[in-house]
């Protein structure tokens, strides 16, 4: 997918780029990549059941936005959600344990890869129904203002999610509530070019996806989702604006996933190896690493130290998941139906 002229270019001042925060962000992105590689290995070994969708290639979109947020902000996303949880501060070992279906997992082993949930860190899921979470996020943003807080909600979704009815319902309500400053929400379109095996050109009548959001009176901006400086630059500005005004905003991040749609998407007949290879030249981790090398003197040894640290963290997470207990059988009935609804006892 070609980059368009409309996309913002790097907007972080080179001097600011050498702040230690940027090495921490590189650390976070490398950790997420190593984590995802490990999940693919563990899935093949049969340790992870159900579905598995990894985020490799899109890291700058999670890290660039999430590092601009404050405690108390809320985040919703779809099923490609491991990176968001880790960037928000969930412990990698508890995320891995969730994928293994273990009791120590962040959803007590009952959610799996697609249903991570960690309210303590502002993570409101993790949803498997494509686009279903957009309405929940719009409602959460309304509640934040209704309760008089200055928190904001961030709602990530894929290009494919824009074709479900709830996308239109959520956008309309956000646009409407936003008129009176009652919907502080940042929508992020993670436009990775495909919905499973269907390209944007084949699934959307309008390929300028932002235009579809503007139809609901919500301003939009495209950004190069592989360049974390660009993503974070836009995020800093619009997060502040949303917090101040209570009005919704949408960022369309142009990005690319390096792995298949899900763990079962092995042959990937809908795209060529050359296309994937071409995008690998714009690896968001490589872009940040090179930039920090050029501007701030980050060395290969520094990067190796980070990579070794990340590999160890992930190995420890896998070991923790492996050694954790299965949920108790009674857990099958806990947190599943509302307390006030019918219980097994009175059925
Ligand atoms: C309502 C609904 N319809 C269909 C599916 C099957 N499905 C799972 S992922 C997916 C594609 C979504 O693509 P996109 O929103 O672009 O996200 P990406 O996988 O690219 O991150 C589909 C159609 C589903 N989970 N839910
Ligand atoms: Mg997509």
């Amino acid at each position: 997918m070609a980059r368009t002229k409309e996309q913002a270019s790097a907007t972080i001042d080179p001097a600011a780029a050498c702040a230690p925060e940027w090495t921490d962000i590189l650390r976070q992105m490398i950790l997420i990549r190593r984590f995802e590689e490990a999940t693919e290995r563990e899935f093949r070994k049969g340790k992870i059941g159900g579905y598995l969708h990894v985020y490799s290639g899109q890291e700058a979109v999670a890290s660039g936005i999430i590092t601009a947020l404050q405690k108390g902000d809320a985040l919703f996303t779809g099923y490609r959600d491991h990176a968001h949880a880790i960037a928000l501060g969930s412990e990698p070992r508890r995320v891995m344990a969730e994928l293994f279906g273990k009791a120590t997992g962040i959803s007590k082993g009952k959610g799996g890869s697609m249903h991570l949930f960690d309210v303590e860190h502002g993570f409101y899921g993790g949803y498997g129904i494509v686009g279903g979470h957009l309405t929940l996020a719009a409602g959460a943003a309304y509640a934040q203002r209704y309760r008089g807080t200055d928190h904001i909600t961030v709602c990530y979704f894929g290009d494919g999610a824009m074709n479900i009815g709830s996308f239109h319902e959520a956008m309309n309500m956000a646009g409407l509530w936003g008129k009176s400053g009652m919907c502080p929400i940042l929508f992020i379109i993670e436009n990775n070019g495909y919905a499973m095996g269907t390209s944007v050109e084949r699934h959307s009548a309008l390929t300028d996806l932002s235009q579809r959001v503007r139809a609901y009176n919500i301003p939009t901006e495209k950004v190069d989702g592989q360049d974390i400086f660009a993503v974070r630059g836009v995020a800093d500005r619009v997060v502040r604006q949303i917090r101040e005004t209570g009005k919704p905003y949408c960022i369309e991040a142009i990005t690319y996933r390096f792995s298949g749609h899900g763990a079962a998407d092995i042959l990937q007949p809908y795209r060529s190896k050359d296309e994937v290879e071409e995008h690998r030249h714009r690896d968001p981790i490589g872009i940040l690493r090179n930039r920090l090398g050029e501007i701030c003197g980050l060395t290969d040894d520094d990067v190796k130290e980070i990579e070794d640290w990340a590999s160890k963290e992930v190995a420890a997470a896998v070991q923790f998941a492996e050694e954790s207990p299965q949920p108790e059988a009674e857990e099958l009935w806990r947190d599943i139906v509302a307390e006030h609804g019918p219980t097994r006892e009175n059925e």
Side-chain angles (χ1 to χ4, degrees):
M1 196 184 357
R3 293 178 61 196
T4 70
K5 284 204 189 91
E6 288 165 79
Q7 284 168 224
S9 55
T11 46
I12 298 283
D13 174 355
C18 298
E21 183 190 7
W22 283 100
T23 313
D24 291 344
I25 291 175
L26 178 66
R27 205 172 266 277
Q28 180 182 89
M29 289 167 68
I30 291 177
L31 176 66
I32 290 168
R33 179 71 59 85
R34 292 286 168 277
F35 185 94
E36 293 295 52
E37 289 164 355
T39 66
E40 289 184 301
R41 282 195 300 276
E42 297 305 315
F43 185 91
R44 304 265 171 256
K45 285 194 231 159
K47 299 286 180 184
I48 295 174
Y51 273 89
L52 180 81
H53 308 90
V54 304
Y55 199 67
S56 302
Q58 304 186 201
E59 293 88 349
V61 189
S63 295
I65 305 285
I66 292 171
T67 54
L69 300 179
Q70 287 177 8
K71 194 163 171 49
D73 292 339
L75 189 142
F76 293 72
T77 189
Y79 45 81
R80 204 177 291 287
D81 59 349
H82 315 157
H84 305 80
I86 293 171
L88 280 166
S90 297
E91 281 183 78
R93 60 184 196 151
R94 294 197 59 214
V95 178
M96 190 64 82
E98 186 57 43
L99 271 48
F100 275 56
K102 297 296 183 76
T104 52
I106 60 172
S107 303
K108 301 183 190 168
K110 294 187 279 187
S113 166
M114 298 198 282
H115 305 106
L116 303 179
F117 211 85
D118 189 359
V119 172
E120 195 191 322
H121 290 101
F123 192 39
Y124 287 78
Y127 295 88
I129 299 299
V130 172
H133 62 291
L134 274 76
T135 43
L136 305 181
Y142 181 85
Q144 286 169 325
R145 278 294 143 122
Y146 186 75
R147 290 173 173 165
T149 75
D150 73 342
H151 300 146
I152 73 160
T153 295
V154 177
C155 178
Y156 283 83
F157 54 92
D159 45 276
M162 299 177 72
N163 301 322
I164 191 171
S166 59
F167 161 80
H168 302 276
E169 296 173 35
M171 290 295 150
N172 187 48
M173 293 314 292
L176 201 57
W177 288 331
K179 283 186 181 178
S180 48
M182 289 296 285
C183 202
I185 188 164
L186 173 57
F187 290 112
I188 313 284
I189 308 171
E190 295 195 274
N191 182 356
N192 60 9
Y194 294 95
M196 297 183 76
T198 310
S199 66
V200 169
E201 291 73 20
R202 289 179 61 225
H203 77 62
S204 180
L206 277 179
T207 51
D208 178 1
L209 301 180
S210 298
Q211 199 180 334
R212 296 174 58 184
V213 175
R214 285 199 297 281
Y216 292 100
N217 198 29
I218 297 172
T220 67
E221 186 164 344
K222 287 184 212 265
V223 69
D224 175 0
Q226 304 311 91
D227 179 350
I228 188 147
F229 285 91
V231 178
R232 178 60 189 272
V234 175
D236 279 339
R237 171 167 45 80
V238 306
V239 161
R240 200 178 319 120
Q241 175 188 314
I242 295 167
R243 209 179 292 288
E244 278 166 19
T245 62
K247 293 181 189 298
Y249 199 91
C250 175
I251 297 173
E252 179 182 349
I254 310 296
T255 185
Y256 197 79
R257 64 167 157 74
F258 293 160
S259 287
H261 163 73
D265 181 18
I266 296 164
L267 297 177
Q268 302 174 40
Y270 52 88
R271 62 181 187 178
S272 67
K273 287 204 168 70
D274 286 350
E275 180 187 307
V276 180
E277 209 38 54
E278 198 184 305
H279 281 87
R280 280 191 183 274
H281 291 305
R282 299 207 70 246
D283 184 325
I285 294 176
I287 291 176
L288 176 58
R289 194 174 62 188
N290 292 343
R291 201 78 63 75
L292 293 181
E294 283 159 20
I295 312 174
C296 316
L298 188 84
T299 65
D300 288 348
D301 282 350
D302 296 333
V303 176
K304 186 167 181 319
E305 180 271 314
I306 296 175
E307 279 175 346
D308 289 348
W309 163 82
S311 299
K312 269 195 209 130
E313 284 288 301
V314 170
V318 170
Q319 192 182 347
F320 174 79
E322 185 86 78
E323 291 171 357
S324 289
Q326 299 286 350
E328 300 289 334
E330 296 78 61
E331 278 293 329
L332 272 174
W333 307 106
R334 246 176 250 144
D335 309 322
I336 301 299
V337 290
E339 294 276 309
H340 311 293
T343 61
R344 295 191 72 214
E345 284 72 26
N346 63 14
E347 260 170 7

